[in-house]
Amino acid sequence: MSSAPFPSAVTGIDAGHASRLLERCRARVRPALAEAVERLHPWVGEMAAYSFGWCEAGGAPVSGPAGGKGLRQALAVLGAEAAGAPADAGVTAAVAVELVHTFSLLHDDIMDGDATRRGRATVWKAYGTGPAVLAGDALFALAVETLATAPGADVASAVRHLSTALNDLVRGQADDLLFETRPWTGPAAVRPDEYRAMAEHKTGALLGCAAALGGVLAGAPRETVATLDRAGRHLGVAFQVVDDLLGIWGDPAVTGKPVHADLLRGKKTYPVLAALGTPAARPLARLLNSPEALDVTAARRAATLIEDAGGRAAALAEAHRHIAAVDACLEILPSAPRTADDLRDLLAFLVRREL
């Protein structure tokens, strides 16, 4: 996918700096995360380790780099630093949020029927549906235990904060699934504002929780916690929109997902919704409203029509708006400029992914 212009906050990023930030945060969190996973039943722990990219199915160590980028871990560590919290609070928050995120992925892959993630079999494909559900449940319980047994006087607030994010995540996932049953056009069609609310809940709630949770654990001022949470929620909408773009025009070798999978499933993604709201969308509407399900050829045609109707450009503009909102939040953080700059570089780098 060709590179697209982003605001100066994004185009001026230092990718090497962002990569080093991710690596620093992963290295700080990994021992505590591994220690938490070791408390699980050995079989469940193996599935958890597989989902983190630490081993192959069956438990053999991986031969290459393990796991994903570690976005939520980095958000938790850097968010804690931005809130003036001690490093331990950021690590505890990172472990709890990473466990919840991985739990959600295990269950999402089952609900969506996704057979691959990051270029290899998903947990339910490698181990079976029942075991994958069990592993997800175990990770969720472990996340709550990690927070509930943390030291300090603000543990109850932290558990409530995580619970709120989980409630929002489930709400967003429910809406996302229900959107697939609604028509593409007409009075019952999904509106862009409904999509934004879904994306904030499904993706933004946990990112906001990651950014704010270390501050909550350390008793940071309410305004600081709220600002970090708001920044993460805006990031979530931008991140979801970018994910939608990659789902239509991304390179499967880079994304680890089959191209056009969202179109083939009838998923209501932002580029499609934006395109359908334009006068140029009549051919696209006819194609999507056909009684026959899209095949690979029709999905490729739909991708072209979406771009012709302005859906790709509108989705990029939507991502820009939310990145600008993230930047505005970081500007008012009462932290050292260096910390805010680290967060800004990291978030811009991650949202720009392959676009």
Side-chain angles (χ1 to χ4, degrees), residues 177-245:
L177 289 172
L178 287 171
F179 286 175
E180 294 182 26
T181 69
R182 291 169 60 177
W184 288 107
T185 58
V190 178
R191 303 186 308 273
D193 62 308
E194 292 181 287
Y195 172 97
R196 292 185 192 98
M198 177 277 296
E200 180 188 330
H201 289 140
K202 177 184 174 183
T203 308
L206 198 56
L207 291 176
C209 181
L213 194 58
V216 177
L217 273 173
R222 185 176 300 176
E223 295 79 8
T224 299
V225 169
T227 299
L228 287 165
D229 187 86
R230 189 163 60 251
R233 285 174 180 264
H234 279 296
L235 172 67
V237 180
F239 207 77
Q240 188 63 56
V241 171
V242 169
D243 203 54
D244 291 349
L245 284 161

Side-chain angles (χ1 to χ4, degrees), residues 6-7 10 192 196 234-235 237-238 241 270 274 313-329 351:
F6 267 68
V10 179
R196 292 185 192 98
H234 279 296
L235 172 67
V237 180
V241 171
Y270 194 88
L316 283 168
E318 183 72 10
H320 295 171
R321 284 192 290 273
H322 288 280
I323 284 298
V326 172
D327 197 57
C329 290
V351 171

Side-chain angles (χ1 to χ4, degrees), residues 2-181:
S2 61
S3 183
F6 267 68
S8 59
V10 179
T11 55
I13 61 172
D14 180 345
H17 179 224
S19 296
R20 289 190 295 273
L21 285 171
L22 285 168
E23 180 55 37
R24 172 171 74 84
C25 295
R26 281 196 303 264
R28 175 177 282 186
V29 173
R30 172 68 183 267
L33 184 59
E35 183 181 348
V37 170
E38 285 175 3
R39 300 202 298 269
L40 296 172
H41 182 285
W43 183 47
V44 176
E46 178 190 310
M47 288 187 280
Y50 176 82
S51 67
F52 287 126
W54 300 344
C55 71
E56 304 292 354
V62 294
S63 55
K69 293 182 176 71
L71 165 61
R72 287 153 192 84
Q73 298 175 43
L75 271 181
V77 171
L78 295 176
E81 291 176 359
D88 287 349
V91 171
T92 301
V95 171
V97 170
E98 188 68 17
L99 291 169
V100 166
H101 173 58
T102 307
F103 137 71
S104 73
L105 293 183
L106 265 63
H107 286 195
D108 284 357
D109 286 340
I110 294 169
M111 286 185 281
D112 294 344
D114 288 339
T116 60
R117 178 175 290 277
R118 297 171 187 151
R120 62 180 191 159
T122 48
V123 175
W124 72 273
K125 272 293 185 180
Y127 289 89
T129 302
V133 171
L134 181 66
D137 292 346
L139 290 172
F140 169 63
L142 187 59
V144 175
E145 179 190 1
T146 296
L147 273 189
T149 57
D154 295 282
V155 168
S157 295
V159 172
R160 284 195 299 272
H161 199 85
L162 181 65
S163 298
T164 298
L166 278 167
N167 239 337
D168 282 350
L169 188 155
V170 171
R171 179 183 293 273
Q173 181 67 24
D175 282 339
D176 196 31
L177 289 172
L178 287 171
F179 286 175
E180 294 182 26
T181 69

